[in-house]
Amino acid sequence: MPRNIAVEKLLQTPIEKQRTEIVERKCVGHPDSLADGIAESVSRALSKAYLEECDAVLHHNTDQGEIVAGESMPKFGGGKVTRPIYVLLTGRATKTFDNVTIPTDSIAVEAARKYLKETLQFLNMDSDVIVDCRMGVGSSDLRDVFKACGNNTLPHANDTSFGIGHAPFSDLESIILGVSSHIDETVRPKHPVIGTDIKIMGLRSDDDISLTLCVPMVDRFCSDMSDYVEAVEFIKEDVSKFASSKTSRKVNVFVNTGDRVSENSVFLTVTGTSAEMGDDGSVGRGNRCNGLITPQRPMSMEATSGKNPINHIGKIYNLLATDIATKCVNEVDGIEDLYVRLLSQIGKPIDQPFVASAQFISDGTCDDAKIEKEINALLDDSLENISEITRRVIRGELKTF
Amino acid sequence: MPRNIAVEKLLQTPIEKQRTEIVERKCVGHPDSLADGIAESVSRALSKAYLEECDAVLHHNTDQGEIVAGESMPKFGGGKVTRPIYVLLTGRATKTFDNVTIPTDSIAVEAARKYLKETLQFLNMDSDVIVDCRMGVGSSDLRDVFKACGNNTLPHANDTSFGIGHAPFSDLESIILGVSSHIDETVRPKHPVIGTDIKIMGLRSDDDISLTLCVPMVDRFCSDMSDYVEAVEFIKEDVSKFASSKTSRKVNVFVNTGDRVSENSVFLTVTGTSAEMGDDGSVGRGNRCNGLITPQRPMSMEATSGKNPINHIGKIYNLLATDIATKCVNEVDGIEDLYVRLLSQIGKPIDQPFVASAQFISDGTCDDAKIEKEINALLDDSLENISEITRRVIRGELKTF
Amino acid sequence: MPRNIAVEKLLQTPIEKQRTEIVERKCVGHPDSLADGIAESVSRALSKAYLEECDAVLHHNTDQGEIVAGESMPKFGGGKVTRPIYVLLTGRATKTFDNVTIPTDSIAVEAARKYLKETLQFLNMDSDVIVDCRMGVGSSDLRDVFKACGNNTLPHANDTSFGIGHAPFSDLESIILGVSSHIDETVRPKHPVIGTDIKIMGLRSDDDISLTLCVPMVDRFCSDMSDYVEAVEFIKEDVSKFASSKTSRKVNVFVNTGDRVSENSVFLTVTGTSAEMGDDGSVGRGNRCNGLITPQRPMSMEATSGKNPINHIGKIYNLLATDIATKCVNEVDGIEDLYVRLLSQIGKPIDQPFVASAQFISDGTCDDAKIEKEINALLDDSLENISEITRRVIRGELKTF
Amino acid sequence: MPRNIAVEKLLQTPIEKQRTEIVERKCVGHPDSLADGIAESVSRALSKAYLEECDAVLHHNTDQGEIVAGESMPKFGGGKVTRPIYVLLTGRATKTFDNVTIPTDSIAVEAARKYLKETLQFLNMDSDVIVDCRMGVGSSDLRDVFKACGNNTLPHANDTSFGIGHAPFSDLESIILGVSSHIDETVRPKHPVIGTDIKIMGLRSDDDISLTLCVPMVDRFCSDMSDYVEAVEFIKEDVSKFASSKTSRKVNVFVNTGDRVSENSVFLTVTGTSAEMGDDGSVGRGNRCNGLITPQRPMSMEATSGKNPINHIGKIYNLLATDIATKCVNEVDGIEDLYVRLLSQIGKPIDQPFVASAQFISDGTCDDAKIEKEINALLDDSLENISEITRRVIRGELKTF
């Protein structure tokens, strides 16, 4: 059956030429990102256990769940979490299959705790967090199980839903992703005072870029307010330098603009995340699967993290659309901006979307018909090989937030 | 201080002229909408109690929370919920002020139960739902309290965040909002078999509109499968007729395409919502504050429901941007599509956004400079009167999902 | 197989002739009694549902669970519960049987809410209490199901455990039970200011009886401190008069001796139970199944409330031992005090206790051998008809706390 | 003020001469004992933190809480916990004092996890258990704080309640305590197959002692059923030998009489406690503070574990009564059995019980008046020095279950 593919040329000011652009990223320790990370790590742990026990990935979805903030008393030199962060795991997982029982609740709790331990190094796992679980029993529908042997018929979409992706990244988008990685990989290892719950808000006004960062400082590494102020200055300088090196535009960096130093009201934390006090988080409220929140770009509201990679269209189509967009931009000449949307209809095979739509903005260097044709072919081919996405998720190769 | 306002003309194919358009709405009984509705009703109940007890709205945020699906056994003629839906209220609220204690937890639980009772008429409040509460103690920061006397200085943004709105609604958007209201106000009162957890997915391909609806049927009103099938046919006909009357485009309606009638696998429910079995919900994952999910339009990821209307920018700016866009389209000639974005910087007065940006697509009938000027003036004026949004939220005049 | 019955004459100062006697009762609104009442009402509701759905009582036990106190602000004229009481239902229940699914969780939550509503008339069921449920899935062991048809083989003891009963009630015991009923049935209906969470501690020193009562007053019926003091005086007078009429001994009544009126520290409540603020409760921590705590009498630690009446020996043997003791005292002459103990061994038929032991104190009027023989016969007969206890529990004829 | 002390000689068959005696002990891994152990460890951790932070022990009570059983799949060679055990910490603790905030929730969760880790060596702390906390805020009553400086006035009884103790231990009581220690200290270290959740039920019929033990076996140490059966035989032999060496009476040992080996229904566990599957536990439902359940002896229903050692009479009077009884038997000649009861009245200084009563059974070798006088003096002296109990609890010197 031929696929319903629609490729369309858009007449539109490309993002780089729009006067104002806003992009946001919630880094790894943000409560919403923590929720995403936990949800995805639970799904991966379940997938792994299913494969080991049943030679197939069974139905599950853990794309919900809630992080309820604790209470803390940060203080210079080192304070305390006074009320543990409460993490509620929800969702559903198949518990029995062919007379094999899979310890889904225990797997979920363990995966969540492991993820938190690895992500928040200053969180005391015995006193600062409660990981609770109210996971339900999943459907025992065996129609769409993903078998390890590879001998699978195509699963059916679990929902009427859509996924969206775009490419290439704009200058501002690249900078923000770059700053985030730079801090995580280069700065924090040497400067543990820099907490993980960083929010980066980027604004480009013509050729001026403003990055507004909220950066929690870890109290045990600040002996007093001057240490704190110094850390704020340091990260401001460092990010300015790094960002400026990545663009020819002018970059302005703001850090912790809400601080009122004279009133001792600053962003000091015990563990480096505001989940320790005041900020709840939930799955799917933060970054899209490309790591960004991009209000000028089409976005899906579907959570990518925690959904199962077999037939949960909200996950598969978001990842696939992003993958296709990137591929097209890499392989097809003449594209300035590309938006890919995949819309499913519940119950239909996942390689047969209700519509697969691509909208491109041409850079004017190539023939439109040729671009359309090549995108069309790439879309068709990617849908033909859609189970590759499932396999890559199971292997842990794809980021979801 | 002059406000940082940027109005820009976009060269862009207007939405109605794009070949493909996708729009979605999760109706009132969808688990995500339930979560939104509960969050907002809790915030309203708190605001009301604060005004009564303290003559001011104190700090709170209830824009999180989770609905964990129950389990049910729907059956023709009437089944049962076998495991209650679990609703977790989280967030934070100020509990004491000037030696007055406000019973925030009890208010929250009561407001949530009241909302559920009014919204899900077939939910047995004593056996089918558990409303739990893990709300924390809010900040006692008195700087940004909203006083009933009106003698307020402007609050400061609680976050670096943005709100977005657009106008006018496209044909498809209007139809979907119309169908939703039509079912809620006209169809269901006479046909209680039609559940509340309806999801409407709209796709426009050129001039063909497809509406794919998932419609839970309430089991007590279906004595057997033929009743169910009849109800599906009925709603399909009814929606086709209604939608067709609202547009000159061709409308195709699909209902419950995932059903496999011969296998007895259909969308039958005890209470009219899938929260009774299998589908969790959380705040801010569904509709934006205009009632829609519009992937071709700029969107904010911020939850509007449950945030406090005083200084929570994720709420105020989403509502205000939507309000401004609508006003501009009504009052300024020559606009085909308009997008308004308000970006805050934490700690700054809320009437002084980091940037207030409007992007318009001209319909070619008016002078661009004039349009820009008028939009600019309207933006400035709306920001000047930003506390009107707060007042309207408190009075319950604004929808948030 | 003959039963292992041991009847023994005890040489012992009978309770009435001991110089000091202590007896306690926690009335119906005490947190521990609430926990007992909820546990038993859940078990009864499950038994009823099992009979309706499966024509048999299936395995379950709900003899655990916890009442976590809320927080309140009582005040003269009427205060508020500020944080709801949290009730956690635990235990286990069989959820499927012969392809019938029994909605055990929903039944449990509903039964608990119904019990609370009937027991605590001033508790607002929508704002003042959260009933949560973490009940597990019960054993699917079908060996010891109790069939409605009556065609049952004898169940096997679920545990190695014992039950204990005594008779007759001492003067002090009778007075305390009498005062409790008197307040519940005669005083409170006319004087709703008297809360339900009354604790009666009785001390007899020779022929002086002291009753120390803690009596919560309901705030809406006290307009000021003088109303409160008056209510305390009233209940003191009333109980003195009532108790004195039941005994020839001298009775002294103390009420709320912990009050410090001048410091405004008194036992004022919003709902009549301390579960609203400060006092948790759990199953099996309060009264034994005869309604009393009697430290001078043999007691079992086993909770009677909430256990299943089929094979849960901690329930059946406590109820049976109490029943046997009463019967013996009524039907056998010459007994001053009688203690009955039934000890099971796990896995053995419940009519074959490891030992059934009775210890009597003779009043000297009869032949010991005759007493022994008659008690022995009664014990044997009661064990022969042990399933009568099961039936009476199911019919709701036996008190458990 | 002279204390109200009543010493009375009882005419009574001493326990050793009664024909039937029942004694029970729930060992350390029994769910009720786990609940007790957790409650007490939380109270100790709080006391320690209060002393460090405030130089005084503040109000708290953690004598409630619930262990909700998990689910497991034991199997020969090693199975899995499939659903974590859920531990709910409740109670109340003072969180602020003199502007110092004490992280009570975090302390409680950490203490509970630490206790579980030390007690259940085969419990995976990351996957097999959830420790949740719903502790409330304690009274800020500063009247009865226990100051480290020692400059304390006597606290006031928090309740009208009583504590009870007896001495000496009977033959059967000693044997059961001995067997418990023997297994914990000598057997298990070499034979880790022997789980910790052992229940010992002792029955003495004249001079025949039967010990019925339920002993969970740890599955990883049983490769098959024959290993299991061997372990049962081994512990039966070992306990028989040990118990026989401690008494001149005949000892019969039964182990796991509920097993049905041919049906593969045996007491096999993953972690050595039935809390992993099926058996809930709660504080105060198991052993009295002397480590035993002794239905022929007077007992208090008050939980000793988890109450604060300052003014919580249910703890202090149970520990003190037991201490006094032991002291009297050691220091006063002529006592065969001794029962001590201490009854408080709420609001009165704790060294002034409403009555302190001792009942002794003479062995006939001494003058009754002399015995009475000496007991009286010892009682008075112990009450005079009642705060010694508080200090010993804080130092962790007293067992509570």
Side-chain angles (χ1 to χ4, degrees), chain D residues 98-163:
Chain D
D98 270 0
N99 291 320
V100 176
T101 298
I102 301 98
T104 50
D105 290 316
S106 297
I107 289 169
V109 169
E110 187 167 33
R113 290 183 63 89
K114 186 158 175 277
Y115 182 81
L116 283 165
K117 196 174 182 177
E118 290 169 358
T119 308
L120 299 174
Q121 70 173 122
F122 301 118
L123 194 77
N124 181 328
M125 292 304 297
D126 280 319
S127 60
D128 299 351
V129 67
I130 293 164
V131 177
D132 196 0
C133 182
R134 286 184 182 255
M135 228 159 53
V137 180
S139 142
S140 52
D141 187 344
L142 303 184
R143 206 167 52 140
D144 292 330
V145 161
F146 182 83
K147 295 174 202 151
C149 61
N151 192 8
N152 292 287
T153 54
L154 270 165
H156 303 73
N158 78 312
D159 200 358
T160 296
S161 176
F162 52 82

Side-chain angles (χ1 to χ4, degrees), chain C residues 29-101:
Chain C
H30 188 283
D32 288 332
S33 298
L34 289 175
D36 281 336
I38 288 170
E40 187 65 8
S41 67
V42 169
S43 170
R44 275 188 198 161
L46 286 172
S47 296
K48 196 158 160 283
Y50 285 139
L51 281 171
E52 278 166 18
E53 300 281 339
C54 314
D55 229 31
V57 179
L58 306 183
H59 274 273
H60 67 274
N61 64 297
T62 61
D63 66 325
Q64 295 272 355
E66 185 74 21
I67 294 183
V68 183
E71 290 172 13
S72 67
M73 291 187 306
K75 72 173 180 196
F76 292 117
K80 282 174 190 165
V81 172
T82 57
R83 191 185 175 210
I85 298 167
Y86 174 81
V87 178
L88 178 64
L89 307 178
T90 71
R92 249 146 306 282
T94 308
K95 295 196 180 176
T96 55
F97 180 78
D98 270 1
N99 291 319
V100 176
T101 299

Side-chain angles (χ1 to χ4, degrees), chain B residues 27 32 46 52 55 67 81 92 108 154 173 180 230 246 261 281 297 314 317 341 349 352 365:
Chain B
C27 296
D32 288 332
L46 286 173
E52 279 168 17
D55 229 31
I67 295 185
V81 172
R92 248 145 308 283
L154 270 166
E173 290 167 351
S180 178
E230 198 177 292
K246 300 293 173 193
V261 170
R297 311 281 204 171
Y317 277 10
R341 286 176 195 77
Q352 289 282 355
T365 64

Side-chain angles (χ1 to χ4, degrees), chain A residues 71-140:
Chain A
E71 291 171 12
S72 67
M73 290 186 308
K75 72 173 180 196
F76 292 118
K80 281 175 191 165
V81 172
T82 57
R83 191 184 174 211
I85 298 167
Y86 174 81
V87 177
L88 179 64
L89 307 178
T90 71
R92 250 145 305 285
T94 308
K95 296 196 180 175
T96 54
F97 180 78
D98 271 1
N99 291 318
V100 175
T101 298
I102 302 95
T104 50
D105 290 316
S106 297
I107 289 169
V109 170
E110 187 168 31
R113 290 182 62 90
K114 187 158 173 279
Y115 181 81
L116 284 166
K117 196 175 180 176
E118 289 169 0
T119 308
L120 299 175
Q121 70 173 119
F122 301 117
L123 193 77
N124 180 331
M125 292 302 298
D126 281 319
S127 59
D128 299 351
V129 66
I130 293 166
V131 177
D132 196 0
C133 182
R134 287 184 182 254
M135 228 161 51
V137 180
S139 142
S140 51

Side-chain angles (χ1 to χ4, degrees), chain B residues 34-278:
Chain B
L34 289 176
D36 281 336
I38 288 170
E40 186 64 8
S41 66
V42 168
S43 170
R44 278 191 197 158
L46 286 173
S47 296
K48 196 161 163 280
Y50 285 138
L51 281 170
E52 279 168 17
E53 301 280 340
C54 314
D55 229 31
V57 179
L58 306 183
H59 275 273
H60 67 274
N61 65 299
T62 61
D63 67 326
Q64 295 272 354
E66 184 75 22
I67 295 185
V68 183
E71 291 172 13
S72 68
M73 289 187 309
K75 72 174 179 194
F76 293 117
K80 280 174 191 164
V81 172
T82 58
R83 192 185 173 209
I85 298 166
Y86 174 81
V87 177
L88 179 64
L89 307 178
T90 71
R92 248 145 308 283
T94 308
K95 296 196 180 177
T96 55
F97 180 78
D98 271 359
N99 291 319
V100 175
T101 299
I102 301 98
T104 50
D105 290 315
S106 297
I107 288 169
V109 170
E110 187 166 32
R113 290 182 63 89
K114 185 157 173 280
Y115 181 81
L116 284 166
K117 195 175 181 177
E118 290 169 359
T119 307
L120 299 175
Q121 70 173 120
F122 302 117
L123 193 77
N124 181 329
M125 293 302 298
D126 280 319
S127 60
D128 299 351
V129 66
I130 292 164
V131 177
D132 196 1
C133 182
R134 285 184 184 254
M135 230 161 50
V137 180
S139 141
S140 51
D141 188 343
L142 302 184
R143 206 168 51 142
D144 291 331
V145 160
F146 182 83
K147 293 174 203 150
C149 61
N151 192 11
N152 292 289
T153 54
L154 270 166
H156 303 73
N158 79 312
D159 200 358
T160 296
S161 176
F162 53 83
I164 295 184
H166 79 265
F169 283 134
S170 73
D171 197 20
L172 182 58
E173 290 167 351
S174 295
I175 287 171
I176 287 177
L177 285 169
V179 166
S180 178
S181 298
H182 169 67
I183 295 176
D184 288 352
E185 289 159 22
T186 308
V187 180
R188 187 176 303 108
K190 292 186 203 150
H191 302 273
V193 66
I194 306 300
T196 52
D197 175 10
I198 294 173
K199 184 162 144 177
I200 309 176
M201 178 66 75
L203 168 68
R204 181 178 58 70
S205 299
D206 296 316
D207 284 337
D208 284 353
I209 287 178
S210 300
L211 300 179
T212 303
L213 281 77
C214 290
V215 183
M217 299 300 171
V218 178
D219 60 5
R220 72 192 70 184
F221 300 110
C222 292
S223 61
D224 53 21
M225 182 61 89
S226 69
D227 276 8
Y228 175 88
V229 171
E230 198 177 292
V232 168
E233 275 310 302
F234 159 74
I235 194 72
K236 188 177 155 179
E237 292 297 308
D238 187 275
V239 168
S240 296
K241 208 171 133 192
F242 177 85
S244 298
S245 77
K246 300 293 173 193
T247 180
S248 56
R249 289 180 167 119
K250 194 181 145 209
V251 179
N252 240 314
V253 176
F254 302 85
V255 176
N256 296 358
T257 54
D259 282 357
R260 286 172 278 156
V261 170
S262 63
E263 299 171 37
N264 271 306
S265 170
V266 297
F267 197 3
L268 194 70
T269 65
V270 179
T271 64
T273 174
S274 63
E276 74 178 43
M277 182 169 53

